[in-house]
Each structure stands twice: as structure tokens, then as C-alpha cells.
Amino acid sequence: DYATLFSSVQLKYLFSLFHEHQHEIRLVGGAVRDLLLGASPHDIDLATTATTEDTLHIIQGDSNSELFY
């Protein structure tokens, strides 16, 4: 449910990390649809104002974050 999705420590941390670097980050896509329909999202998609280069810089510069390819 909505509360469970946003109680994730990792998700909250990711949002705060991007905000710390003056970038917006938002929940988008199927998760938004699912939440509006009252269903539990199975995965989430995020959109940010950060460029790909900015995103890499933010994640790689943070000792608590790790990229998976």
C-alpha cells in the first residue's frame, strides 16, 4: 500500500539524496497508476531533473549508495 511504499528507508534516502543536490525526484509510471487504483505497486519508476551524468555523480559520490548494472 501507499504507506508501505513510502516507509522504505532506502526510497526516503534516495529522495533526500537528490534533494540535497538540488534535483527533484518523483514517483512515476505504473506505480502511480497502481496507487490511484488502490493496488500495491510491484515495482517503482522514478524520474529526476538530474542528467545521467548528475545521477552518476550523486550515486557514485555517496558512500551509502551502490549502482547495479
Side-chain angles (χ1 to χ4, degrees):
D1 66 12
Y2 185 83
T4 302
L5 179 65
F6 286 100
S7 67
S8 163
V9 172
Q10 295 90 348
L11 188 58
K12 287 180 180 180
Y13 182 78
L14 190 60
F15 272 70
S16 69
L17 184 62
F18 275 77
H19 287 178
E20 179 182 312
H21 286 87
Q22 287 77 48
H23 288 288
E24 293 181 20
I25 188 167
R26 297 173 188 240
L27 181 68
V28 298
V32 174
R33 177 202 60 230
D34 292 346
L35 290 169
L36 290 172
L37 293 173
S40 294
H42 297 285
D43 64 352
I44 60 168
D45 299 305
L46 301 171
T48 179
T49 57
T51 64
T52 302
E53 292 80 16
D54 290 337
T55 300
L56 288 172
H57 174 76
I58 291 167
I59 301 297
Q60 290 173 340
D62 182 68
S63 62
N64 294 314
S65 300
E66 186 175 353
L67 286 175
F68 294 94
Y69 297 95

